[in-house]
C-alpha cells in the first residue's frame, strides 16, 4: 500500500487541507502512477460544494491527472515504469454491458466508477488527483503523446475529451459552422479542437473581453451574448452549438441560432434544470442533446489528435496552497483557461 499525500476538503464551505490517503496494493492489472499535475475542472467545484447532491467527505477531487508510471502489477501488458500517462474522469466500469463493449465506458449500464466521489470494486471510496499517487487498472490509463508536456496534458483528460467527443459525434468538420458557448476551461479546448477538425468556429461569450484569445485559439468570429443584436444577427446560423456554461442560460434563445437539423449539445452541468421552449426545436427539426466525457478508446484518440495537431490548453500552474483561491477565481470566470496543480507542492 502507498500512502499518498493529498489535498482534501471536509464540507461544502470548508477550505482545502493537507491529508494522507491510502492507495491500494497493486492487483495483477493495476498501475501505480506518480501524479505530477492535476487540472482543476469546474466539476471539482460543483462536487466539492455539493451542487449536484450529497457527497462523502473528506473529498479529494481531481480527474485531470498526468504523471509517470512507477510500478505495474504482474499481469500488466500496456504500461511499464517510466511511461508518461494520464487518468481522466473514470477509473473503472463493469466491462460487460453493451455500452462498455461499444467503448462507451462512461455510459456503463451499471455506472462507471468516477475517479473521485465514487466507490471502487472493492467497496472503497475513490479519491482523485489532488494527490501524489494513484492506483488505476491499466484499461483506464491513457498514454500521453511525447510532444505534450505533462502539465498541459492534464486538462486534456477531461476538458479535452468532453469537447472532442461531441464534436466528433456530431461531425464537426469542413463545411460545418460550430459555435462554442462560454470560453472557460472546456470552451477554449472546444475552440481549438473544432478548428483543428476543420470547422468554422464562433465563440459566444458574455463579453468581448477574451476575443483576442478566442481568435488566437482558432475562432473566426467572437460574439457577446449580452448584446441582444447577437441573437438577431446569428439566427439560423450554426450546425452545431456546444454549450460549456456552468450556469443556467436561456437555452431557447441559443436554439434559435441553429440551422435546420442543427444540434445544441450541453456539456455544461449546472444543478438547476434548463427550460426549453419546444417551438425553438420543432420549427426547424432541431435537437437539444447532452454528452458526458468520452470512452477510453476515444480519449486515447483525442490525445493522439492533440499530439498530431499540437493542441494544448492554455494553463496557469499553481501550488497546492492556492486551490481555494483558484476555486474562487474559476467561479468568477477569472481563469485563463485552466488551473493545473503542481503536485510536488502538495
Ligand atoms: P469554467 O472554466 O468555469 O467555464 C465556464 C464558462 O461558462 C465561463 O468561462 C463563462 O464563459 C461561462 N459562464 C460562467 N458562468 C456563466 C453565467 N452565469 N452565465 C453565462 N455564462 C457563464 O468551467 P469548465 O471547467 O469549462 O466547466 C464547464 C461546465 O462543464 C461545468 O458545469 C462542468 O461541471 C461541466 N463539465 C461537464 C462535463 C461532461 O462530461 N459533460 C465534463 C467536464 C465539465 P464566458 O466568460 O466566455 O462567458
Ligand atoms: Zn472535469
Amino acid at each position: 500500500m502507498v500512502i499518498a499525500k493529498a489535498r482534501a476538503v471536509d464540507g461544502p464551505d470548508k477550505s482545502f487541507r493537507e491529508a494522507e490517503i491510502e492507495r491500494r496494493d497493486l492487483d495483477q492489472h493495476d498501475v501505480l502512477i506518480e501524479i505530477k499535475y492535476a487540472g482543476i475542472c469546474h466539476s471539482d467545484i460543483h462536487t466539492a460544494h455539493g451542487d449536484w447532491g450529497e457527497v462523502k467527505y473528506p473529498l479529494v477531487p481531481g480527474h485531470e491527472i498526468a504523471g509517470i508510471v512507477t510500478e505495474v502489477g504482474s499481469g500488466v501488458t500496456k504500461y511499464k515504469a517510466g511511461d508518461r500517462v494520464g487518468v481522466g474522469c473514470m477509473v473503472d466500469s463493469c466491462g460487460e454491458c453493451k455500452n462498455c463493449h461499444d467503448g462507451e465506458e462512461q455510459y456503463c449500464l451499471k455506472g462507471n466508477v468516477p475517479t473521485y466521489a465514487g466507490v471502487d470494486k472493492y467497496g472503497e471510496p475513490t479519491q482523485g488527483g489532488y494527490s501524489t499517487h494513484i492506483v488505476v487498472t491499466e484499461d483506464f490509463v491513457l498514454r500521453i503523446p511525447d510532444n505534450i508536456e505533462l502539465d498541459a496534458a492534464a486538462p486534456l483528460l477531461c476538458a479535452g475529451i468532453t469537447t472532442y467527443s461531441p464534436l466528433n459525434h456530431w461531425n464537426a468538420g469542413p463545411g460545418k459552422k460550430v459555435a462554442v458557448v462560454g470560453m472557460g476551461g472546456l470552451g477554449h479546448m472546444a475552440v481549438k479542437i473544432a478548428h483543428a477538425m476543420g470547422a468554422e468556429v464562433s465563440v459566444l461569450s458574455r463579453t468581448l473581453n477574451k476575443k483576442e484569445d478566442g481568435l488566437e485559439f482558432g475562432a473566426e468570429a467572437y460574439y457577446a451574448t449580452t448584446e441582444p443584436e447577437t441573437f438577431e444577427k446569428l439566427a439560423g446560423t450554426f450546425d452545431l452549438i456546444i454549450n460549456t456554461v456552468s450556469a443556467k442560460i436561456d437555452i431557447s434563445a441559443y436554439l434559435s441560432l441553429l440551422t435546420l437539423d442543427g444540434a445544441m449539445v450541453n456539456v455544461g452541468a449546472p444543478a438547476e434544470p434548463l427550460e426549453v421552449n419546444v417551438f425553438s426545436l420543432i420549427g426547424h427539426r432541431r435537437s437539444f442533446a447532452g454528452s458526458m466525457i468520452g470512452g477510453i478508446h476515444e480519449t486515447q484518440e483525442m490525445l493522439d489528435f492533440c499530439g498530431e495537431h499540437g493542441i494544448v490548453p492554455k494553463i496557469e500552474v499553481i501550488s497546492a496552497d492556492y486551490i481555494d483561491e483558484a476555486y474562487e477565481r474559476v467561479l468568477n470566470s477569472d481563469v485563463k483557461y485552466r488551473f493545473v496543480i503542481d503536485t510536488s507542492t502538495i
Side-chain angles (χ1 to χ4, degrees), residues 250-271:
D250 180 0
I251 294 298
S252 304
Y254 288 86
L255 289 171
S256 72
L257 307 185
L258 290 170
T259 55
L260 174 67
D261 285 329
M264 170 147 168
V265 183
N266 231 83
V267 291

Side-chain angles (χ1 to χ4, degrees), residues 2 26 30-38 64-72 78-87 129 131-136 141-146 148-151 153-154 157 342-344:
V2 169
L26 295 190
D30 280 342
V31 173
L32 173 63
I33 299 165
E34 187 184 337
I35 300 174
K36 297 290 189 188
Y37 295 97
E64 295 187 333
I65 297 170
I68 306 281
V69 173
T70 53
E71 207 182 320
V72 297
K78 297 179 186 159
Y79 298 101
K80 58 177 188 331
D83 285 353
R84 305 165 79 245
V85 293
V87 177
S131 86
T132 54
H133 296 82
I134 192 167
V135 172
V136 180
V141 175
L142 286 307
R143 194 173 291 282
I144 294 172
D146 289 339
I148 300 182
E149 299 293 334
L150 289 181
D151 54 359
L157 277 301
D342 174 350
T343 60
S344 70

Side-chain angles (χ1 to χ4, degrees), residues 40-47 52 63-64 89 106-107 158-159 161-163 180-188 203-207 209-210 222-223 225 243-249 254 266-271 290-294 329-335 337-338:
I40 293 181
C41 176
H42 205 122
S43 299
D44 299 350
I45 303 174
H46 287 306
T47 309
W52 293 335
H63 58 205
E64 295 187 333
C89 302
Q106 73 279 31
Y107 305 120
C158 175
I161 183 60
T162 300
T163 49
V180 175
V181 188
M183 203 175 76
L186 266 59
H188 94 295
V203 177
L204 302 173
S205 180
R206 283 166 295 181
T207 66
N209 293 346
K210 296 178 275 191
Y222 200 104
Y223 302 96
T225 54
N243 176 21
T244 75
V245 174
S246 49
K248 182 175 177 175
I249 57 171
Y254 288 86
N266 231 83
V267 291
S291 181
M292 188 173 75
I293 49 174
R329 283 184 54 194
V330 172
L331 289 171
N332 293 325
S333 299
D334 175 22
V335 50
Y337 283 84
R338 202 55 143 186

Side-chain angles (χ1 to χ4, degrees), residues 7-330:
R7 292 296 167 117
V9 65
D10 294 314
D13 310 315
K14 296 287 194 303
S15 300
F16 276 84
R17 62 166 172 86
E18 291 180 9
E20 287 191 339
I21 51 175
E22 292 177 1
R23 298 302 193 183
R24 66 173 183 257
D25 286 330
L26 295 190
D27 191 0
Q28 248 194 323
H29 293 289
D30 280 342
V31 173
L32 173 63
I33 299 165
E34 187 184 337
I35 300 174
K36 297 290 189 188
Y37 295 97
I40 293 181
C41 176
H42 205 122
S43 299
D44 299 350
I45 303 174
H46 287 306
T47 309
H49 289 178
D51 293 351
W52 293 335
E54 259 180 59
V55 278
K56 220 173 152 215
Y57 299 98
L59 172 80
V60 177
H63 58 205
E64 295 187 333
I65 297 170
I68 306 281
V69 173
T70 53
E71 207 182 320
V72 297
S74 58
V76 168
T77 57
K78 297 179 186 159
Y79 298 101
K80 58 177 188 331
D83 285 353
R84 305 165 79 245
V85 293
V87 177
C89 302
M90 54 184 172
V91 287
D92 212 347
S93 71
C94 84
E96 288 165 359
C97 72
K98 181 180 183 308
N99 294 352
C100 284
H101 275 295
D102 290 347
E104 305 273 19
E105 299 87 352
Q106 73 279 31
Y107 305 120
C108 173
L109 293 173
K110 291 187 182 151
N112 72 60
V113 178
T115 304
Y116 61 82
V119 176
D120 68 17
K121 63 184 166 203
Y122 306 101
E124 297 294 329
T126 56
Q127 298 286 19
Y130 298 2
S131 86
T132 54
H133 296 82
I134 192 167
V135 172
V136 180
T137 187
E138 64 174 326
D139 287 345
F140 284 75
V141 175
L142 286 307
R143 194 173 291 282
I144 294 172
D146 289 339
N147 62 338
I148 300 182
E149 299 293 334
L150 289 181
D151 54 359
L156 297 178
L157 277 301
C158 175
I161 183 60
T162 300
T163 49
Y164 179 91
S165 183
L167 287 166
N168 196 22
H169 185 80
W170 274 271
N171 302 314
K176 291 285 174 71
K177 290 190 176 173
V178 174
V180 175
V181 188
M183 203 175 76
L186 266 59
H188 94 295
M189 287 311 305
V191 173
K192 288 181 175 224
I193 292 170
H195 173 68
M197 287 175 169
E200 185 184 320
V201 186
S202 298
V203 177
L204 302 173
S205 180
R206 283 166 295 181
T207 66
L208 296 179
N209 293 346
K210 296 178 275 191
K211 179 174 178 179
E212 220 173 286
D213 289 346
L215 300 184
E216 195 183 300
F217 298 152
E220 285 173 42
Y222 200 104
Y223 302 96
T225 54
T226 43
E227 289 169 11
E229 21 337 335
T230 293
F231 289 88
E232 288 159 28
K233 194 163 57 186
L234 297 175
T237 300
F238 301 109
D239 301 292
L240 176 63
I241 299 177
I242 305 285
N243 176 21
T244 75
V245 174
S246 49
K248 182 175 177 175
I249 57 171
D250 180 0
I251 294 298
S252 304
Y254 288 86
L255 289 171
S256 72
L257 307 185
L258 290 170
T259 55
L260 174 67
D261 285 329
M264 170 147 168
V265 183
N266 231 83
V267 291
E272 311 90 313
L274 299 173
E275 284 156 31
V276 173
N277 176 345
V278 294
F279 292 98
S280 50
L281 290 173
I282 61 183
H284 291 80
R285 204 165 54 198
R286 295 163 172 145
S287 311
F288 181 44
S291 181
M292 188 173 75
I293 49 174
I296 292 297
H297 178 80
E298 195 179 30
T299 304
Q300 189 62 60
E301 184 185 295
M302 175 277 306
L303 286 165
D304 297 341
F305 179 88
C306 289
E308 274 161 37
H309 293 266
I311 297 174
V312 285
K314 191 166 170 148
I315 58 170
E316 183 174 334
V317 176
I318 61 165
S319 78
D321 289 337
Y322 194 75
I323 297 173
D324 293 307
E325 211 167 324
Y327 272 33
E328 276 311 307
R329 283 184 54 194
V330 172

